[in-house]
Amino acid sequence: MFSGILFGAEHKPLNIAETDIFQRVINFVIFVALMWYLVADKIKATLKHRSQTISDKLSQTQAKLQESRHKKEKAQQRLKDTNKQVAETLKIAKQEAAMAAQRIEEKTKEQVASMIKANEEAMEFQERLFQKQIVNEILNESFNSPTLKIDSKDYVSILEKKVA
């Protein structure tokens, strides 16, 4: 039933002269022109505003990108500077450690030399003391011995031999 209304129950050939297509097209053009006249400025403003908003967001994003790049470059420069400082500090620390080791070695050598000298002096002192004791013993035996009688010239010559 509806198919007859929509498609026409009769199957006559369509004559363009009998249709109102021309009037409909003119009405449509007038409608579009009227709508353009009434709504075009608002649409243009809306599109321009949207375009400006997108442009502003793009500018903000680019500014943030530039700022991020700048911060990255600063951070990389600080990293390089820090690495240089670490290398310098390490170099200085190694030099100071080497100098400290050298000073300790020199002081140790001085202390060893001082100890050796003190030991030699103590040995010389002990040797002289031992020699004096031996001379005293010999003299005491000589003076106290009844069998051995030596005069003073002989004592002096004996002492000179012992001391030399």
Side-chain angles (χ1 to χ4, degrees):
M1 173 177 188
F2 287 113
S3 63
I5 296 173
L6 291 176
F7 299 113
E10 301 174 18
H11 293 293
K12 305 194 253 184
L14 186 59
N15 187 359
I16 292 187
E18 296 174 2
T19 62
D20 62 345
I21 188 108
F22 182 70
Q23 289 85 5
R24 287 183 186 233
V25 169
I26 290 179
N27 282 339
F28 181 73
V29 169
I30 292 171
F31 173 75
V32 169
L34 194 65
M35 290 302 286
W36 183 258
Y37 178 74
L38 295 174
V39 182
D41 291 334
K42 292 180 182 177
I43 292 174
K44 284 182 186 179
T46 303
L47 291 176
K48 187 174 183 179
H49 177 67
R50 179 70 181 145
S51 171
Q52 185 64 36
T53 304
I54 291 171
S55 176
D56 290 345
K57 285 185 179 180
L58 179 62
S59 297
Q60 289 174 353
T61 304
Q62 287 177 343
K64 286 181 181 178
L65 178 64
Q66 286 294 72
E67 183 180 344
S68 296
R69 286 181 181 163
H70 183 67
K71 285 181 180 179
K72 178 184 173 187
E73 289 173 4
K74 275 184 160 180
Q76 286 177 338
Q77 186 62 37
R78 282 195 315 256
L79 179 64
K80 286 179 185 178
D81 293 343
T82 303
N83 284 339
K84 286 179 185 178
Q85 288 176 349
V86 166
E88 285 182 30
T89 304
L90 194 58
K91 181 180 176 184
I92 291 170
K94 285 181 180 180
Q95 290 173 347
E96 288 177 355
M99 289 189 320
Q102 185 179 5
R103 282 194 303 264
I104 290 171
E105 184 178 348
E106 289 172 1
K107 284 184 180 182
T108 304
K109 285 180 181 179
E110 289 173 4
Q111 288 176 348
V112 167
S114 174
M115 292 172 86
I116 289 173
K117 184 177 178 184
N119 190 24
E120 288 174 355
E121 289 175 357
M123 286 178 64
E124 287 176 11
F125 177 76
Q126 288 294 327
E127 185 178 330
R128 278 186 263 135
L129 186 64
F130 186 65
Q131 286 176 355
K132 283 182 184 179
Q133 286 176 348
I134 291 176
V135 168
N136 278 339
E137 286 179 17
I138 291 174
L139 286 177
N140 283 336
E141 283 180 20
S142 301
F143 286 132
N144 294 332
S145 168
T147 57
L148 185 60
K149 295 281 180 186
I150 301 176
D151 62 9
S152 59
K153 288 182 183 176
D154 292 334
Y155 283 127
V156 170
S157 68
I158 291 173
L159 288 176
E160 285 178 353
K161 289 179 186 177
K162 289 290 182 180
V163 170

